[in-house]
Amino acid sequence: MRGWRRADGRKGIRNVLLVAYLVECAHHVARAIAERHDDGDVQLIGFPGCYPNDYAQAMMERLCCHPNVGAVLLVSLGCESFARRRLLEVVRASGRPAELLVIQEAGGTRSSIARGRAWVAGTLPVLAAQATVPLAPEELVIGTICGGSDGTSGLTANPAIGRAFDRLIAAGAAGIFEETGELIGCEGHMASRAATPELAAEIVACVDKAARYYTTLGHGSFAVGNADGGLTTQEEKSMGAYAKSGASPIVGLLKPGDQPPGGGLYLLDVVPDGEVRFGFPNIADNAEIVELIACGAHVILFSTGRGSVVGSAISPVIKVCANPDTFRRLPEDMDIDAGRILEGRADLDTVGAEIAALVTAVAGGTRTCSEALGHQEFILTYKSFTPAGPACLPGR
Amino acid sequence: MSAGQPVLLLAPEDNVLIAVRDLPAGQRLVDGGDEIVLPDAVPLGHKLARRPIPRGASVIKYGASIGSATRDIPAGAWVHLHNLASDYLATAGAGDRP
């Protein structure tokens, strides 16, 4: 594995130039600047809202200073509330080339696009000249998520990802799993894996919060259709998603944007704090992927049964396909065929080892299916969090 | 679990196996040195007892308890709503957890 060393000591496995719009009104200009480059090294992200939000500001700071990012062009309309100067200062302080383009000051759409393209053209050779250095397993952060799940997800892809997590974490990496709303019923088991009793209490409280949040939004957890597929209890259903976490001890509880202080397994709390507002915590899978990436994830392991095709901006997504029929239908989109386990052609340990080997290859530059197909999905919406307490990271 | 069986063992400590295709009653399985004969049909994705599970004992899948047996379950039997119940109290913030 090789990476680009950043001023903060972290290393990236990609050297992306980000074009980031700071309100939806700047989206078109930002896209026109970025879309000239279809080789994947220039990517588009942004926050659509006009009104200020501390979470969105902090997320954009974390994302623009992600180790996989080499340079950043900010595109502002001019009258939105986003603290654009602060973001520019944060990115420049990180040692990255950065520029701010304000459309209302740059003469409008056409001249802003021309200026943005010129800056990108001048910056890409700077990134191309940057050398890579060796990357050790303990410098790697891996996130995992499931989406487009079906009855096979909890039997093949999720436990196989758990095996891969066990291997990568044993080698020193940090692994992050999430979606506490899908872990309701597992909090007792998660608490038993926690590094300290205080962390165990934080984990239980965090799942309770998710249960309250989803209840307020009118979501049940266990549906009749689950029983048809062979699931009997709430805790069994949640265990299927939870299996992605593997068997390592849980050493910390993160909130979006928190960086793991070292190797080991972390739970990411994606459900906002305080009263329920702004609607669903995560409107689609990419909202969770963005939060994992904001925590420093270099690579995302994505388990899917029905066949999600998404990738992400900033960090490569490895698709682990749980269902063998889906793999046959969507072979170009799937990196790993975990459904072989159902057909007796592989076992969980074999597929787990295969996933861990692919993570190493992707960290060495190999493109994932979604990267090669040009997927760069990105979602950032309004949320609010209070900072995690000291009990959440006992190792720090 | 022996290779080539139409069932999945998700964790070594589990006392249930998962059918990877629809299995008919009378299906024979080999688990380690033991032979299991299924008294019931077990659909794809459903659970069957790897060994006898007494009433009140935890049913273990993924290495974790997914509830308790509500009656004695013989080896090979289908495990579902008729003989397994959740131990989970879905009352957010309501105190004692296992």
Side-chain angles (χ1 to χ4, degrees), chain A residues 201-212:
Chain A
E202 292 281 359
I203 289 171
V204 171
C206 152
V207 176
D208 282 349
K209 177 182 71 171
R212 281 196 305 275

Side-chain angles (χ1 to χ4, degrees), chain A residues 210-276:
Chain A
R212 281 196 305 275
Y213 211 96
Y214 283 96
T215 301
T216 304
L217 289 172
H219 271 275
S221 292
F222 193 83
V224 177
N226 294 139
D228 295 340
L231 299 177
T232 311
T233 65
Q234 171 69 59
E235 53 267 51
E236 179 182 14
K237 177 186 177 182
S238 293
M239 283 303 302
Y242 178 51
K244 298 194 299 302
S245 68
S248 308
I250 300 173
V251 300
L253 175 62
L254 306 174
K255 294 197 181 182
D258 292 345
Q259 310 298 303
L265 178 66
Y266 297 82
L267 172 63
L268 171 60
D269 177 7
V270 299
V271 175
D273 294 311
E275 61 182 299
V276 176

Side-chain angles (χ1 to χ4, degrees), chain A residues 161-188:
Chain A
I161 286 174
R163 302 288 206 278
F165 254 42
D166 291 343
R167 284 172 178 268
L168 294 160
I169 288 167
I176 310 173
F177 70 111
E178 53 91 51
E179 192 38 309
T180 44
E182 288 166 9
L183 297 172
I184 294 165
C186 298
E187 60 271 34

Side-chain angles (χ1 to χ4, degrees), chain A residues 79-134:
Chain A
C79 50
E80 75 274 13
S81 307
F82 203 95
R84 56 181 180 265
R85 291 274 164 206
R86 191 174 100 198
L87 178 56
L88 180 68
E89 283 162 19
V90 167
V91 181
R92 283 190 171 155
S94 78
R96 290 170 173 82
E99 189 52 89
L100 169 65
L101 188 60
V102 180
I103 297 168
Q104 289 167 349
E105 297 168 3
T109 300
R110 196 179 305 274
S111 64
S112 296
I113 291 170
R115 285 193 200 190
R117 284 176 177 173
W119 189 84
V120 169
T123 305
L124 284 174
V126 176
L127 296 188
Q130 291 172 347
T132 58
V133 295

Side-chain angles (χ1 to χ4, degrees), chain A residues 154 187 230 232-233 235-236, chain B residues 47 61-62 66 80 86 88:
Chain A
E187 60 271 34
T232 311
T233 65
E235 53 267 51
E236 179 182 14
Chain B
K47 302 172 288 298
K61 179 182 175 186
Y62 297 106
I66 59 165
H80 203 22
S86 174
Y88 181 67

Side-chain angles (χ1 to χ4, degrees), chain A residues 377-394:
Chain A
E377 287 84 350
F378 184 88
I379 302 172
L380 182 60
T381 59
Y382 286 88
K383 277 193 180 185
S384 57
F385 283 96
T386 52
C392 294
L393 287 174

Side-chain angles (χ1 to χ4, degrees), chain A residues 7-335:
Chain A
D8 63 4
R10 294 186 293 168
K11 294 172 188 168
I13 63 166
R14 297 290 184 269
N15 204 18
V16 171
L17 189 156
L18 280 185
V19 180
Y21 57 92
L22 304 182
V23 63
E24 179 60 21
C25 320
H27 190 161
H28 169 71
V29 167
R31 183 174 53 216
I33 295 166
E35 72 186 1
R36 279 222 155 165
H37 306 272
D38 56 5
D39 57 1
D41 293 335
V42 179
Q43 299 181 356
L44 180 67
I45 70 166
F47 177 62
C50 184
Y51 298 92
N53 182 246
D54 290 341
Y55 159 83
Q57 184 85 30
M59 289 286 287
M60 287 295 279
E61 291 177 6
R62 291 297 192 189
L63 293 163
C64 289
C65 296
H66 187 281
N68 288 356
V69 174
V72 182
L73 175 63
L74 303 176
V75 185
S76 159
L77 174 62
C79 50
E80 75 274 13
S81 307
F82 203 95
R84 56 181 180 265
R85 291 274 164 206
R86 191 174 100 198
L87 178 56
L88 180 68
E89 283 162 19
V90 167
V91 181
R92 283 190 171 155
S94 78
R96 290 170 173 82
E99 189 52 89
L100 169 65
L101 188 60
V102 180
I103 297 168
Q104 289 167 349
E105 297 168 3
T109 300
R110 196 179 305 274
S111 64
S112 296
I113 291 170
R115 285 193 200 190
R117 284 176 177 173
W119 189 84
V120 169
T123 305
L124 284 174
V126 176
L127 296 188
Q130 291 172 347
T132 58
V133 295
L135 179 85
E138 60 264 32
E139 296 175 296
L140 205 55
V141 182
I142 306 124
T144 187
I145 177 179
C146 39
S149 298
D150 69 10
T152 65
S153 300
L155 302 178
T156 60
N158 292 354
I161 286 174
R163 302 288 206 278
F165 254 42
D166 291 343
R167 284 172 178 268
L168 294 160
I169 288 167
I176 310 173
F177 70 111
E178 53 91 51
E179 192 38 309
T180 44
E182 288 166 9
L183 297 172
I184 294 165
C186 298
E187 60 271 34
H189 194 269
M190 281 195 282
S192 73
R193 293 168 69 190
T196 66
E198 293 77 19
L199 174 60
E202 292 281 359
I203 289 171
V204 171
C206 152
V207 176
D208 282 349
K209 177 182 71 171
R212 281 196 305 275
Y213 211 96
Y214 283 96
T215 301
T216 304
L217 289 172
H219 271 275
S221 292
F222 193 83
V224 177
N226 294 139
D228 295 340
L231 299 177
T232 311
T233 65
Q234 171 69 59
E235 53 267 51
E236 179 182 14
K237 177 186 177 182
S238 293
M239 283 303 302
Y242 178 51
K244 298 194 299 302
S245 68
S248 308
I250 300 173
V251 300
L253 175 62
L254 306 174
K255 294 197 181 182
D258 292 345
Q259 310 298 303
L265 178 66
Y266 297 82
L267 172 63
L268 171 60
D269 177 7
V270 299
V271 175
D273 294 311
E275 61 182 299
V276 176
R277 49 189 183 141
F278 305 134
F280 291 106
N282 292 86
I283 58 172
D285 296 327
N286 280 97
E288 292 161 53
I289 291 176
V290 164
E291 290 182 330
L292 288 165
I293 294 171
C295 293
H298 294 90
V299 183
I300 304 296
L301 299 176
F302 189 122
S303 160
T304 185
R306 299 287 296 276
S308 172
V309 301
V310 303
S312 178
I314 302 175
S315 295
V317 174
I318 293 173
K319 254 95 83 266
V320 182
C321 186
N323 185 321
D325 294 331
T326 302
F327 187 84
R328 283 185 278 268
R329 276 201 305 277
L330 305 173
E332 290 181 347
D333 288 281
M334 301 298 153
D335 296 279

